Amino acid sequence: MLSGVKLEANNEDWTTYYHDSELYPGVNSMGPNLTLNGYLPSAMAACSSMGGQYMSSGPSGCGVASPGLMGTGGLAGMPTPLGQMGAPQPGYSASGNSLYSLEGPLDGKPQGYRRSYSHAKPPYSYISLISMAIQQAPGKVMTLNEIYQWIRDLFPYYRQNQQRWQNSIRHSLSFNDCFVRVPRSPEAPGKGSYWALHPDSGNMFENGCYMRRQKRFRCQKQERKTPEPSSAPPREEGRTAAHSPGSSLDASPVQSPVPGLEKVESPQASPPPRASPAQHLQEPLHFHHLSPAPSQLPPLPSQDPRTDTHPFSITHLMSADLQHAAPRVDLLPYDAGMMYPSYGAPASTYMGMNSFGAREVAPMPVDSSYYSNMYSVPILSSS
DNA sequence: TAATGTTTAGCGCTGT
DNA sequence: ACAGCGCTAAACATTA
């Protein structure tokens, strides 16, 4: 069984902070929490009483299957930047690694009165942060800078030492197969590519642990720029998969409905090739995912009031202010279908999008159909 | 030139 | 003990 994830060297009782509406005045006004299509476990809060461990899996643990976050695009809505709740204060820990800011009260109370939660290092790995950012994006793609900004907005902690964590973000994007680089459209020129989640990455955090994946997602098939004998073993499994040229989505290409563009065969299940865009529309591709179908999901855990108010609860973070969500201007060509010319319909049509409207949108089927947008764009390979 | 992206290396932690 | 994962640093290449 999986054990919980310790927050670095922290063993403090986070329950101390759960009801800290003083520090997080917006917490109590969040209303009913938004769940990831109703299945998001509140990772931290639900496990808060486990001696500093955020997650625990097991029959009775809080490691409830959570296909929402990474597998079904269930994240919706724009984040409520914690920064609005507490601006960076002088005196926070400059170590960059501490979980808390040991000083710098947010509310004018004497120093040491209470540690600032908003400046604590979030209990999410960079991979999960990136995944969250991309998932909540209307087009399921984000530029590097937007990922930076999203993280900064959501976690004041990441307003410090930006060089450090941004380097780590870039490294994570490049290193991990679960992230794929997508070129910009000609209509939206600019620097840097878009980043998306690999359609087969599935629910990397289905164990409910956002600090450490159960298993790293890897492209199983590799395509090398310089062909090697098939008998040549990979240099090193992970690195090869992650860094070999063209490894972003580099399995055997399947004929794309868009000339010149390639779709990638799932390493886990081979979808039938699309006969036509129309067929694609009628018969969304179904790929094997780690996530179970909704009908197979366990019942929703009972709502713990702490769940909704924990400042780092994804539920909390992602729940607010849908009305503030604005369509991305630079992605309009994508959403307008320009990226999918042969489909002739907006991308959201294919994606079963939850573009800022998941509260109203019925839970998506747990398949890859909504990922299908990514099958129609060329994936940049490293060079 | 700065931002972005790739790659290597080393370390610590966790699970088996 | 070992393997795998995540984080950090750093060097280097590419691109707008």
Side-chain angles (χ1 to χ4, degrees), chain A residues 1-2 56-64:
Chain A
M1 282 302 164
L2 295 170
S56 165
S57 285
S60 58
C62 56
V64 180

Side-chain angles (χ1 to χ4, degrees), chain A residues 100-111:
Chain A
Y100 303 110
S101 77
L102 302 177
E103 302 151 298
L106 295 176
D107 51 6
K109 289 191 167 57
Q111 292 203 353

Side-chain angles (χ1 to χ4, degrees), chain A residues 42-261:
Chain A
S42 359
M44 297 169 36
C47 296
S48 62
S49 60
M50 297 184 178
Q53 296 184 345
Y54 277 99
M55 290 308 302
S56 165
S57 285
S60 58
C62 56
V64 180
S66 58
L69 177 57
M70 301 307 154
T72 65
L75 282 178
M78 293 297 283
T80 300
L82 288 176
Q84 295 173 358
M85 304 173 186
Q89 300 291 320
Y92 53 65
S93 167
S95 73
N97 280 326
S98 64
L99 281 166
Y100 303 110
S101 77
L102 302 177
E103 302 151 298
L106 295 176
D107 51 6
K109 289 191 167 57
Q111 292 203 353
Y113 168 76
R114 184 162 285 169
R115 292 182 178 181
S116 165
Y117 216 165
S118 63
H119 294 158
K121 186 169 187 176
Y124 308 118
S125 67
Y126 290 125
I127 294 173
S128 65
L129 285 174
I130 296 168
S131 298
M132 283 185 243
I134 293 173
Q135 283 283 353
Q136 62 81 44
K140 305 299 181 202
V141 294
M142 261 186 156
T143 63
L144 178 65
N145 196 46
E146 288 168 334
I147 294 172
Y148 289 161
Q149 191 61 50
W150 187 88
I151 294 173
R152 263 196 307 260
D153 286 347
L154 210 57
F155 303 105
Y157 174 86
Y158 289 113
R159 292 168 193 167
Q160 326 162 37
N161 300 307
Q162 299 201 22
Q163 190 124 21
R164 175 192 290 178
W165 66 264
Q166 288 179 352
N167 187 19
S168 294
I169 292 290
R170 292 195 301 272
H171 171 261
S172 293
L173 285 168
S174 291
F175 183 80
N176 292 284
D177 282 357
C178 56
F179 303 119
V180 294
R181 201 152 57 92
V182 178
R184 284 176 174 270
S185 72
E187 292 77 17
K191 194 166 188 178
S193 306
Y194 292 113
W195 289 93
L197 285 168
H198 192 290
D200 292 320
S201 61
N203 177 17
M204 295 181 290
F205 300 92
E206 67 177 344
N207 61 349
C209 168
Y210 300 99
M211 281 295 286
R212 192 180 174 93
R213 289 172 294 181
Q214 209 163 0
K215 184 172 175 60
R216 188 168 127 208
F217 170 76
R218 290 171 178 153
C219 284
Q220 294 187 356
K221 298 185 179 180
Q222 296 139 32
E223 180 180 312
R224 291 176 176 80
K225 186 180 281 181
T226 304
E228 298 177 10
S230 59
S231 59
R235 292 170 297 155
E236 190 266 307
E237 188 183 1
R239 291 293 164 88
T240 302
H243 293 301
S244 62
S247 65
S248 294
L249 261 182
D250 52 5
S252 305
V254 177
Q255 183 163 6
S256 163
V258 182
L261 306 184

Side-chain angles (χ1 to χ4, degrees), chain A residues 365-379:
Chain A
V366 185
D367 59 32
S368 296
S369 59
Y370 100 97
Y371 283 123
S372 59
N373 64 314
M374 287 196 281
Y375 286 83
S376 59
V377 299
I379 303 302

Side-chain angles (χ1 to χ4, degrees), chain A residues 322-336:
Chain A
L322 292 179
Q323 67 273 20
H324 294 156
R328 288 179 45 142
V329 174
D330 61 337
L331 273 180
L332 287 178
Y334 288 71
D335 279 338

